[in-house]
Every structure is written in structure tokens, then in C-alpha cells.
Amino acid sequence: MALKTNADGRTRSSVQIFIVAGLCCFFYILGAWQRSGFGKGDSIALEITKNGADCNIIPSLSFESHHAGEAGKIDESESKPKVFKPCHPRYTDYTPCQDQKRAMTFPRDDMNYRERHCPPEEEKLHCLIPAPKGYVTPFPWPKSRDYVPYANAPYKSLTVEKAVQNWIQYEGKVFRFPGGGTQFPQGADKYIDQLASVIPIKNGTVRTALDTGCGVASWGAYLLSRNVLAMSFAPRDSHEAQVQFALERGVPAVIGVLGTIKLPYPSRAFDMAHCSRCLIPWGVNDGKYLMEVDRVLRPGGYWVLSGPPINWRNNYKSWQRPREELEEEQRKIEEVAKLLCWEKKSEKGETAIWQKRVNTDSCGDRKDGSHATFCKSDEADAVWYKKMEACITPYPDSNNADGAAGGELEPFPKRLYAVPPRIASGSVPGVSVEAYEEDNNKWKKHVNAYRRINKLIDSGRYRNIMDMNAGLGGFAAALESPKLWVMNVVPTIAEKNTLGVIYERGLIGIYHDWCEGFSTYPRTYDLIHAHGIFSLYDGKCDWEDILIEMDRILRPEGAVVFRDEVDVLIKVKKIVGGMRWDTKMVDHEDGPLVPEKVLVAVKQYWVAGGNSTSTQ
């Protein structure tokens, strides 16, 4: 069979094979043919061609389960599915709830216009977001940390604006990320070494981190080699494509800002929070931004501030800011930190580090009738579109005067399967220790079944993974590997608020309502896990909208694993039949009599203006 050469000079032997050999081979070829921009899959595709497109060479997606394989005798409607057309190429980087044009209609006070503002129903797009021409599969981790294909995020302004700060450099057809930042031009590794002289980063005590105003997330990228998982966020295009670059690098990140509403994370989530010249006015509005950091910071956790106004005496001239202004800014920060009962552990150069006290008893200032205003204790995790207020989140009860409020955590990785304090204390109604352990065993079994279906899961092909309905985090825990990370989403309408448990396991996640767009760029995730999400949202919003949003955030040739009741999956399968996805339904790992089934889908490769693997 002749190899077809496209205008870009790359062979498309795998597409030919797909046409000849059908769906089984198509899923195999997705594993073999990595659109890396350097033709790495061509030799494998040639080998397949020589062997007559035999699907058993190095199978990647095998739909033969150890029971009945493909789910049989399912009555599916034969009516043709609705076909969803591509959106206009101008929507290539469309972020529905952070759309720039819509944002400019909102007030600029307190960064309100940079927050989530989702389109009303009549303005929602009902089309598929195209990838830009030339789009290629990102490099595998850890190479992706340092290199991103230019075609995937073709924006050069940061290479000029941040040239002297080592954020990003343009080299031919790729961007290179030297690991620098505004406050660490010598590299993130050296900067983290400096922090590690004060903060216990090396021993698993610090596992989860929050990076506010993250830039291209080099701090989070370099923490990964130290087994620290950072949730990075920055506003939509405050600097061009910064969060998009972070995600293309394979680093956890979302579009977000400290503004008027609370951050979408539970209380006591992070072991460390960080601001490196993030331009957040920490001392204004009675210190409410620092109070919000305090809410999400675990007792005993650390806050790092690097850059203005720290060391203002020596830097006010180079920062081109009035000495008095910077002095007052630091005074306010120190004042709020004292009110929060944080202890300053270090101030060296332009970096200051504070530690949150472990409990109320260790905070003497809280006993002397200080003027602190406290939030309602039962609202610590009520955050979705809830107004941020200048009040201090109370510590939870502590069993002893020296123990951490809310319970002690094991160092990571023991933390991953240790009983989380929220469960041990009964803080999650209906979830006992036994139920937690049973859930872990269930997800180990499910994930092993997924590995039999899709042998790419542990290969490094899937770096950015999302669990749309994460529960207790069992899926992510069973997948835990340096090759990947999981964004654990707890829907705002979920029966149980389990996101705090997920963080206590040393995993990361976010609250979200799937009736709205997710706070990320298109083509963000390599693999999406959707367990029970359509049963949960039945009657809440249109399933089409949820699936179109999934398509927006899924990379070309990315995969989706749906797990739900069979009648739900039949409806889902029909909708995605018009979305340029290829699907296959398989039985539950316990056999064909179990009503819960698994639907596996792969998004076809197609770009704006054509160049599609679609045979339609």
C-alpha cells in the first residue's frame, strides 16, 4: 500500500491503514503514530503496512475484555446522529467562560472582569473547536517541560516581553522553556533549592502547592521532579497564552484569578502557596486575598512571597516605584499575616516565607480579643461563585494542643492510601473508613480493566488526565505515576463534597459545574474519565453541551473513558457519533450481566480548514 504524503511532507500511512483495517487498527495506530512534529510514528506505521495491518503487533486499545469483549445485544437507535460542524477558525483558542470580548463588558474593580463569566444559553457555541493548522501531539514528559511545538500555541509576545527573564525562547519550530522566571532568572531549580532550605520540600511533608499568577508555570514544572504537585493559575491572557503554555508543557494549570469570588478549592487543601511577582495587591481590601490563601492553606502550611515589596529598601529604584508606597505595602502584608497568626520563618533577598500555625492553641493573638473577623465555620468549603470576604476561616477542632487542626497527614506517598483525616473524623457524611477502603479496591480493579482495554495508559502518551466526577480520588490514586497527573473534578452538584479528601491524599482537583465551560484552553487533556457524569447531570443541562465541552478540552487523538449505565451510554454514543469521535462499548469487567458498561472513545485528528482522519 502506497504511503500518502501530505502538504506538510509527513506520511499518513496510519490513515490508510485505518480505512483498510477498520476501527480495531485505528485505535492501535493512535498509539503507534505520535504526531510529534518529527515523524516518529512513520517507521512503526510502515511496519504495520508490511504486516498487512495486523492489529496484534503492539495493541494499544484492545476491546476484548476477559469476559465478553464488545458489549452485545444492545438495542441502539438506527436514526442518524446529529452532525456537529467545525467552528470558525477564529475560535481555535476559545475559552467560553473567560472570553476576552465578554470579559471587557464587566467591571475592572478587583479583577472582576478576569473572573468566570459564562455565555448565556443563546450564545453558546454548538460546534466543534478546531485545532490550528499544523497542530501536533506534544512531546512526551519530561521533554515537554522544556519544549512546546510552536504550531500548538503560535504566540511570540512573551519571547520578547520576558526575554531577559528566561521565561520562554523561540527556536525554529519549537518554544524552549529554560526554567526561568521574573524572580528566578537563574532557573527554577536554584530558586526551589533556596525555598527548600526553609520548607521541608524533600521529605514528602509538602506535597500539594498553589501557584498564584503562575506565568508559564516553571515553578510548578520543576517541583514535579521533587514529587510536589502544584496547582498553577493565572488570568486569561494577562500575559499572552501563559496558562496555555503551561498545559502544553504538561504542567497542571487552570485559568483563574484572585478577584471577587472564592477560589474553587476546599479549605486546608495546600501544603504550600506561592506568589512570585504575581502582581496581586495582597494588602488591599482589608487583606481578603491573604485571608483566602489562609483558607486554602493547610495548618502548618507555608506561604512564599517573592518580589515586590520584599526588600523594598534595596530595590525601590530598580522597580521604579516610590519608596513610601512599597514600605506601606509591606507593612500591610505584615499586619494581615500577624492577624492570621502566620509566623515569618525567613526573609532573604527578595523572598519571604511565612508558616501558618498548626492550630488555634498555638496562636496566642487569637485569645486576646483581637479585632479579627471570623467567617462562618460551616462555609469554609462553600466556594462556587461565593463572594470572597475579609474574614478569617476558623481552624477545625484539634484533638490535642500540639496536633494539627483537622488531623495529621502522612508524608507522601504514604498519604495516597492512608485514611484521610476528613474520613477518619466522620466529616464526610456517609463515608466510613471501610467505605473508603472499599472504594480504593474498586478503582484499582476498574483501572486494571482500563489498562487491558487501552495499553497506552501507562506508556506516557497520556500526560494531562481529567476525572470529571472524581469521588474520593480512587481513579487518580490507582493511576499515580510520574508520567501523568490527574485533575480531579468534584461537580458542584455532587451528593458528597469530597474534594478535601482528595487533597488530603496528596492529589489535586477543583470544583466545577459541568453545565458551564471549564476554566482551561482547548486541547488541554490527553485522557478524560467520565464516571456517572451523565447520570448525575440528567435533567440538569443538555448532554450535548457537556460533550461539546469535552471535545473542546480534549486533544486530537485523545481518549475518553465513559462508565455509566448502559441506557445512558447508548444515548451518549449516539451524540458523539456526530462529533468525529470513534467509539466502542465494552462490558463491565465483572461480566455482561452487570448493567454498568464502559464506552471508550478516541477523538479523530482534524484541524481548521481540513486535514482530517474522518472518512465522512
Side-chain angles (χ1 to χ4, degrees):
M1 181 173 63
L3 298 179
K4 179 180 177 181
T5 302
N6 292 304
D8 61 2
R10 289 184 294 161
T11 57
R12 293 300 169 100
S13 56
S14 53
V15 179
Q16 260 78 6
I17 298 165
F18 164 55
I19 295 170
V20 172
L23 189 60
C24 169
C25 288
F26 171 69
F27 282 111
Y28 158 58
I29 290 151
L30 291 187
W33 184 31
Q34 301 283 313
R35 285 189 173 82
S36 65
F38 292 86
K40 290 187 177 179
D42 288 344
S43 61
I44 302 175
L46 280 165
E47 185 63 29
I48 303 165
T49 307
K50 288 184 208 173
N51 285 277
D54 180 0
C55 288
N56 295 317
I57 300 172
I58 315 173
S60 58
L61 287 184
S62 168
F63 292 111
E64 299 302 320
S65 73
H66 62 285
H67 286 284
E70 181 179 355
K73 297 182 180 179
I74 295 175
D75 182 20
E76 298 186 40
S77 171
E78 294 183 0
S79 60
K80 290 187 177 180
K82 171 184 174 181
V83 176
F84 295 89
K85 296 181 179 180
C87 303
H88 191 278
R90 69 174 174 271
Y91 291 108
T92 294
D93 291 329
Y94 180 61
T95 55
C97 295
Q98 281 93 3
D99 179 62
Q100 291 285 72
K101 186 176 180 181
R102 183 178 297 106
M104 298 309 292
T105 65
F106 288 87
R108 296 197 171 218
D109 297 344
D110 294 339
M111 297 292 282
N112 176 271
Y113 75 116
R114 293 283 190 194
E115 294 182 304
R116 290 176 57 84
H117 300 290
C118 300
E121 190 63 38
E122 63 273 13
E123 292 182 21
K124 288 183 178 179
L125 296 181
H126 293 281
C127 51
L128 307 179
I129 301 297
K133 285 186 178 180
Y135 177 86
V136 295
T137 301
F139 298 110
W141 184 266
K143 184 176 180 178
S144 65
R145 185 194 71 178
D146 302 328
Y147 295 96
V148 165
Y150 170 76
N152 292 11
Y155 307 110
K156 294 183 181 179
S157 68
L158 281 180
T159 65
V160 178
E161 186 177 345
K162 301 295 181 180
V164 299
Q165 294 163 1
N166 270 339
W167 275 34
I168 179 174
Q169 298 170 0
Y170 176 66
E171 298 179 356
K173 294 183 178 180
V174 299
F175 289 111
R176 187 170 75 87
F177 297 83
T182 305
Q183 288 304 128
F184 38 95
Q186 301 305 311
D189 258 338
K190 290 185 178 179
Y191 175 73
I192 294 169
D193 284 341
Q194 177 188 337
L195 302 184
S197 67
V198 179
I199 302 171
I201 289 174
K202 299 177 182 179
N203 63 4
T205 301
V206 170
R207 163 62 178 177
T208 56
L210 181 69
D211 194 11
T212 58
C214 65
V216 296
S218 286
W219 187 70
Y222 279 81
L223 278 172
L224 286 166
S225 65
R226 303 168 192 243
N227 222 11
V228 176
L229 196 55
M231 172 73 78
S232 301
F233 73 83
R236 169 74 157 89
D237 282 353
S238 178
H239 291 307
E240 189 178 54
Q242 53 186 340
V243 169
Q244 189 174 21
F245 279 130
L247 291 159
E248 285 294 321
R249 298 175 73 184
V251 180
V254 292
I255 301 171
V257 67
L258 275 165
T260 66
I261 59 175
K262 295 181 180 180
L263 295 172
Y265 312 114
S267 59
R268 312 191 316 276
F270 298 98
D271 301 308
M272 174 169 56
H274 174 257
C275 161
S276 173
R277 204 162 188 170
C278 60
L279 305 180
I280 295 171
W282 295 110
V284 305
N285 296 321
D286 298 318
K288 72 174 183 179
Y289 297 142
L290 275 177
M291 292 176 182
E292 180 64 358
V293 169
D294 180 76
R295 181 185 70 82
V296 301
L297 196 60
R298 185 164 292 130
Y302 297 85
W303 184 59
V304 180
L305 176 60
S306 182
I310 305 302
N311 201 12
W312 56 268
R313 289 179 178 84
N314 294 324
N315 292 307
Y316 72 93
K317 289 183 179 178
S318 61
W319 290 336
Q320 298 181 342
R321 290 182 58 188
R323 178 188 177 105
E324 296 75 21
E325 179 183 287
L326 287 162
E327 183 180 14
E328 177 63 10
E329 188 176 325
Q330 179 149 356
R331 187 194 67 78
K332 286 183 177 180
I333 290 171
E334 302 279 6
E335 185 179 86
V336 177
K338 183 178 180 181
L339 192 64
L340 293 170
C341 214
W342 292 0
E343 179 187 3
K344 182 180 274 190
K345 306 297 287 188
S346 171
E347 182 172 329
K348 185 177 180 181
E350 295 174 20
T351 300
I353 301 172
W354 286 262
Q355 184 177 20
K356 180 176 178 177
R357 302 282 186 171
V358 295
N359 56 38
T360 303
D361 291 337
S362 63
C363 184
D365 290 348
R366 295 279 173 86
K367 302 174 183 176
D368 61 2
S370 68
H371 62 285
T373 301
F374 290 89
C375 312
K376 295 179 181 178
S377 58
D378 60 349
E379 294 181 355
D381 293 346
V383 299
W384 190 245
Y385 287 120
K386 294 297 178 66
K387 186 178 179 182
M388 191 189 304
E389 297 178 330
C391 59
I392 300 171
T393 302
Y395 283 94
D397 293 335
S398 177
N399 294 329
N400 62 75
D402 299 321
E408 301 284 350
L409 291 178
E410 296 281 359
F412 194 84
K414 286 180 66 177
R415 190 182 298 187
L416 189 62
Y417 280 106
V419 177
R422 280 173 165 90
I423 290 178
S425 66
S427 301
V428 184
V431 182
S432 63
V433 172
E434 293 74 20
Y436 167 73
E437 291 173 346
E438 185 178 309
D439 186 78
N440 285 331
N441 291 331
K442 177 184 74 173
W443 280 107
K444 287 176 183 177
K445 184 174 75 170
H446 287 340
V447 169
N448 283 335
Y450 295 158
R451 288 182 171 118
R452 289 192 292 271
I453 296 170
N454 184 347
K455 290 180 169 57
L456 292 177
I457 285 178
D458 294 320
S459 70
R461 171 63 178 84
Y462 303 134
R463 171 68 183 169
N464 302 358
I465 298 178
M466 171 180 282
D467 191 355
M468 295 177 68
N469 186 18
L472 298 173
F475 170 77
L479 277 179
E480 169 60 24
S481 165
K483 295 179 181 178
L484 56 85
W485 59 270
V486 180
M487 179 68 76
N488 293 281
V489 181
V490 172
T492 56
I493 65 168
E495 180 184 350
K496 296 180 176 67
N497 181 358
T498 54
L499 193 53
V501 169
I502 288 168
Y503 274 95
E504 287 180 343
R505 302 186 71 169
L507 303 168
I508 59 170
I510 195 168
Y511 293 113
H512 183 64
D513 181 357
W514 284 110
C515 290
E516 301 180 354
F518 193 72
S519 292
T520 192
Y521 282 84
R523 303 171 300 282
T524 294
Y525 289 91
D526 303 296
L527 175 68
I528 296 176
H529 183 242
H531 169 236
I533 200 74
F534 292 93
S535 291
L536 179 64
Y537 276 91
D538 193 20
K540 305 293 192 302
C541 52
D542 196 324
W543 289 7
E544 282 187 9
D545 289 343
I546 298 175
L547 286 162
I548 288 172
E549 176 63 4
M550 291 171 69
D551 182 83
R552 183 185 76 87
I553 67 177
L554 183 65
R555 295 194 192 279
E557 298 180 327
V560 181
V561 178
F562 300 90
R563 178 179 286 271
D564 218 314
E565 298 296 307
V566 63
D567 55 340
V568 171
L569 293 185
I570 289 171
K571 294 176 185 177
V572 169
K573 189 174 187 293
K574 182 177 178 181
I575 296 171
V576 301
M579 289 175 55
R580 305 189 185 200
W581 290 14
D582 294 293
T583 61
K584 199 79 165 183
M585 187 115 58
V586 299
D587 283 321
H588 189 283
E589 59 268 17
D590 288 340
L593 299 181
V594 180
E596 184 179 80
K597 304 291 180 185
V598 176
L599 178 66
V600 183
V602 172
K603 179 178 175 178
Q604 297 171 10
Y605 177 90
W606 63 278
V607 298
N611 197 21
S612 168
T613 57
S614 174
T615 57
Q616 298 176 2

